[in-house]
Amino acid sequence: MSYSEDTFKKIIAHAKEYGFIFQSSEIYDGLSAVYDYGQNGVELKNNIKKYWWDAMVRLNENIVGIDSAIFMHPTIWKASGHVGAFNDPLIDNKDSKKRYRADVLIEDAREKINQKIQKEVEKAKKRFGDTFDEAQFRDTNPRVLEKQAEIDKITARYKTAMENGDLAELRQIIIDNEVVCPISGSKNWTDVRQFNLMFSTQLGSVSEDADTIYLRPETAQGIFVNYLNVQRTGRMKIPFGIAQIGKAFRNEIVARQFIFRMREFEQMEMQFFIRPGEEQTWFEKWRSARLSWHKALGLGDEFYRLHDHDKLAHYASAATDIEFNFPFGFKELEGIHARSDFDLSQHQQFSGKKIQYFDPELNESYVPYVIETSIGLDRMFLALLSKAYTEEKVTDEEGDTRVVLNIPPALAPVKAAILPLIKKDGLPEKAREIMDNLKFDFNCQYEEKDSIGKRYRRHDAIGTPFCITVDHQTLEDNMVTIRRRDTMQQNRVAITELRSILEAETSMRKLFEKL
Ligand code: ATP
């Protein structure tokens, strides 16, 4: 389940070469931590959105969607706490002049120790073979225990420092754990300072009248401020949810991990409104529902890990991250948060409007509590791409290796490539006929350039699950060769069967049925 050393670099290069992701403004030397999605990237991204949206809105009768504006009244960000407290603790290395998030440096230091433990476990696993009891080993091996104690100590100090906003202590943890700057290799650190992550701009054309407004740093507030609108017009009864997909902007201090941390990104968030007192039950329900959504993709259960927050936001009563094993280690992919009635109460107070729900069963009114699920679309994209990227040894006329993206077929950008074996003898016409029939239901690509082997490889590289080849015999028997991406197996099927084969193997239904 691990990646090879330079996999991440290769994935980034592959994403560019095959039209998935480009650096923004590349011909002007790029804009840092901003990316554009190319012709294949946008298809994959749209498919991820659909998988999320339909799982939320279509499969749950009590969840509806909205699409709120990016610009919102500036007071919203005061009410939400973002103006006052949406800060990251930043620290600079005096030698490299590079800026880091102090909390991330500490988390990385902790993860490094964790990886050492993991290595001990792997070694022992090899040594003891089938009789190996991992839990017992972790509980008793002195080296592992010592390292675990180090982790626990960092965690305890970190938690207290974050809770107290103790910036000097954050710095001290970095010093005590001898964290070095990866660029300069030095331990020459500045003090830790707070940095607000919101981008601001001016509304209105006349500067004197101009009002500072913010680019939203999360989509959630657009849901909260529309709570009453949706509840009333949709006649929603608690419990119910509102889902939204949209852009969010954060002036991230450190943004060096490709699309993992961007300054402009997309979120898929769902706020689930519940009765006070039912938080724990719904929190657990959503945590498990979200994990199932991930696991249904079949990337491998061992790629996910649940991580409870050390430091809860001031409004939260529980928070868990679903972490994914990215090429640079386990990192947050999605957050599930119990937000209490914090947001709605704040908006009630700041707007002066009553935001309450009359519960006919209880015969009383209350401000609903909220469970939030929040996932970064771009991070989900990176998770899929990282896991899908595979270099394989094969032997055929195209050489002895191939790069294949094992993207779950339902999410693959192109479902089928339609390929006439050669560019004449009526084969292109026949292939076009097939294309013209399939294109209404599936994203297909017609390609006639280059040898068939080269075309297969190109489609392996973008993750196309099926290649359909039209040859001379097709003109006689209306059969085509269908080649599968993962096994490279080929067999002949009737043209009339193609639709049902593609439907059975590339539709999202199969994923939804697992939820
Ligand atoms: P991190 O600790 O990594 O900065 P966060 O805890 O601030 O993340 P949330 O505010 O919980 O993140 O945002 C919800 C989700 O939005 C995250 O799980 C992540 O998938 C995504 N996300 C947050 N910031 C970014 C970013 N800068 N670029 C891409 N995705 C992001």
Side-chain angles (χ1 to χ4, degrees), residues 92-292:
D92 293 357
N93 182 270
K94 290 185 196 160
D95 299 316
S96 67
K97 309 272 183 265
K98 285 278 172 198
R99 183 159 284 180
Y100 299 90
R101 263 171 65 178
D103 56 329
V104 171
L105 286 183
I106 294 169
E107 277 164 20
D108 286 351
R110 207 167 45 171
E111 180 59 24
K112 250 191 204 155
I113 307 174
N114 190 31
Q115 305 227 323
K116 284 187 193 153
I117 297 182
Q118 206 52 42
K119 274 208 184 116
E120 294 282 346
V121 172
E122 301 287 331
K123 259 196 337 213
K125 213 182 247 169
K126 272 204 195 119
R127 198 152 18 102
F128 292 110
D130 289 345
T131 58
F132 183 61
D133 178 343
E134 182 172 333
Q136 194 196 353
F137 180 78
R138 281 178 184 271
D139 283 346
T140 53
N141 180 280
R143 269 195 304 273
V144 170
L145 288 176
E146 190 189 312
K147 296 211 160 49
Q148 190 55 48
E150 272 179 56
I151 293 180
D152 294 345
K153 188 171 161 208
I154 298 176
T155 305
R157 285 181 71 185
Y158 172 55
K159 190 172 171 213
T160 319
M162 290 297 272
E163 271 164 11
N164 300 336
D166 187 347
L167 302 181
E169 169 68 355
L170 282 182
R171 178 172 190 271
Q172 203 51 48
I173 300 173
I174 290 172
I175 304 287
D176 293 349
N177 285 282
E178 307 194 329
V179 174
V180 296
C181 164
I183 308 289
S184 68
S186 91
K187 298 177 215 160
N188 197 4
W189 297 106
T190 62
D191 287 342
V192 176
R193 280 163 297 146
Q194 292 287 20
F195 178 80
N196 193 291
L197 298 180
M198 281 199 294
F199 285 101
S200 62
T201 185
Q202 251 68 45
L203 190 70
S205 55
V206 187
S207 65
E208 296 94 85
D209 304 333
D211 218 342
T212 298
I213 55 165
Y214 301 96
L215 296 186
R216 66 180 178 199
E218 61 174 31
T219 58
Q221 298 305 322
I223 294 178
F224 294 128
V225 298
N226 276 299
Y227 164 81
L228 283 178
N229 285 335
V230 175
Q231 193 273 322
R232 285 186 185 151
T233 57
R235 298 194 298 149
M236 308 302 291
K237 289 200 178 59
I238 273 183
F240 76 91
I242 305 179
Q244 165 157 243
I245 299 178
K247 289 266 178 156
F249 304 83
R250 295 182 188 180
N251 199 1
E252 297 281 0
I253 304 166
V254 192
R256 292 185 202 119
Q257 275 162 331
F258 193 38
I259 58 168
F260 181 80
R261 194 176 297 290
M262 303 155 91
R263 298 206 164 98
E264 172 180 341
F265 59 101
E266 227 165 325
Q267 289 186 313
M268 306 191 284
E269 296 197 296
M270 193 278 297
Q271 310 294 327
F272 199 71
F273 300 96
I274 56 171
R275 269 184 197 162
E278 295 187 351
E279 270 189 303
Q280 199 53 33
T281 321
W282 283 110
F283 178 72
E284 278 160 27
K285 259 198 181 138
W286 277 110
R287 190 173 49 185
S288 115
R290 293 306 303 147
L291 202 54
S292 305

Side-chain angles (χ1 to χ4, degrees), residues 290-455:
R290 293 306 303 147
L291 202 54
S292 305
W293 182 88
H294 287 283
K295 289 185 174 172
L297 290 170
L299 306 187
D301 292 1
E302 70 281 13
F303 275 78
Y304 303 91
R305 184 168 94 175
L306 290 175
H307 170 78
D308 295 327
H309 280 207
D310 300 326
K311 179 201 175 239
L312 292 176
H314 48 291
Y315 50 77
S317 62
T320 298
D321 292 340
I322 297 177
E323 295 186 336
F324 186 81
N325 187 9
F326 289 98
F328 37 85
F330 274 98
K331 294 272 179 196
E332 172 176 347
L333 169 60
E334 169 158 10
I336 294 112
H337 311 125
R339 294 180 76 120
S340 74
D341 61 353
F342 174 79
D343 303 272
L344 292 184
S345 295
Q346 287 290 102
H347 289 306
Q348 183 167 255
Q349 189 191 329
F350 277 73
S351 69
K353 307 277 183 324
K354 195 168 154 195
I355 306 182
Q356 295 201 351
Y357 175 79
F358 175 74
D359 194 322
E361 278 171 39
L362 299 179
N363 198 25
E364 66 179 62
S365 291
Y366 52 78
V367 178
Y369 273 50
V370 171
I371 305 297
E372 161 183 271
T373 73
S374 173
I375 172 170
L377 174 54
D378 313 271
R379 281 193 194 174
M380 185 62 201
F381 189 109
L382 182 58
L384 279 163
L385 195 64
S386 307
K387 178 63 204 341
Y389 181 89
T390 315
E391 289 171 7
E392 263 179 18
K393 290 214 177 325
V394 288
T395 35
D396 60 21
E397 65 273 20
E398 288 309 314
D400 52 12
T401 54
R402 69 164 183 160
V403 172
V404 53
L405 292 187
N406 299 116
I407 300 172
L411 302 186
V414 178
K415 304 298 187 227
I418 321 289
L419 317 169
L421 188 62
I422 53 169
K423 262 195 277 187
K424 53 183 188 185
D425 302 340
L427 302 189
E429 289 76 7
K430 189 73 185 170
R432 286 266 180 222
E433 221 177 84
I434 297 173
M435 173 84 188
D436 285 344
N437 180 23
L438 293 179
K439 72 182 179 190
F440 293 110
D441 296 304
F442 311 97
N443 189 26
C444 298
Q445 256 178 27
Y446 172 87
E447 272 205 61
E448 55 181 27
K449 206 167 166 291
D450 296 325
S451 74
I452 201 77
K454 278 212 176 71
R455 283 180 272 170

